Amino acid sequence: QVQLVESGGGTVQAGGSLRLSCTASGYIYTDDCVGWFRQAPGKQREWVSYIVTGGVTDGASEVGDLVQGRFTISKDNAKNTLYLQMNDLKPEDTAMYYCAAGARAKCRYSYSFVYWGQGTQVTVSS
């Protein structure tokens, strides 16, 4: 049974930093995408970033325009853990952050992902 467990969320002031982690169990990264999405109250789930695991494009990544230059995605295959380093946080970054795995294509879209974590809350105060 695949489980994704996020951690690292919390409340920070604008300009602060957080690092989210997502540890996978029962799942092996093989030539697919793992990524982060977020959802603010009353809004649709939004893609944040993804990274490719395995294959010839292993490590290739993209981040969304809204977080470009502030957020960085990375992974540790040995630990089966995905990270999201978030710097210069803004109040508009406030949301529940979800990690996801198992997308073989169209990695910017939530419907492409098979497995989801339960989410970790990030709150940025002004």
Side-chain angles (χ1 to χ4, degrees):
Q1 184 177 358
V2 175
Q3 279 193 321
L4 304 178
V5 180
E6 301 99 332
S7 60
T11 301
V12 295
Q13 290 190 332
S17 298
L18 284 173
R19 188 176 82 155
L20 305 183
S21 299
C22 174
T23 300
S25 60
Y27 181 79
I28 299 174
Y29 294 158
T30 54
D31 198 17
D32 60 7
C33 296
V34 292
W36 292 96
F37 290 77
R38 67 186 183 185
Q39 188 167 17
K43 294 188 176 181
Q44 289 190 334
R45 189 164 295 190
E46 174 185 54
W47 168 68
V48 176
S49 184
Y50 74 81
I51 190 167
V52 177
T53 68
V56 296
T57 56
D58 180 56
S61 64
E62 285 194 278
V63 295
D65 290 342
L66 294 177
V67 302
Q68 181 73 44
R70 299 187 297 121
F71 290 14
T72 303
I73 191 170
S74 63
K75 60 183 176 71
D76 185 330
N77 291 346
K79 296 181 179 180
N80 246 19
T81 299
L82 177 70
Y83 302 101
L84 185 68
Q85 178 66 44
M86 307 187 294
N87 298 328
D88 190 22
L89 283 159
K90 303 177 180 182
E92 50 264 41
D93 294 319
T94 295
M96 185 71 79
Y97 283 72
Y98 299 89
C99 74
R104 290 304 180 100
K106 298 183 179 180
C107 298
R108 294 187 179 196
Y109 301 96
S110 60
Y111 60 71
S112 300
F113 289 82
V114 177
Y115 306 106
W116 291 84
Q118 82 290 347
T120 186
Q121 178 68 39
V122 171
T123 303
V124 185
S125 59
S126 56

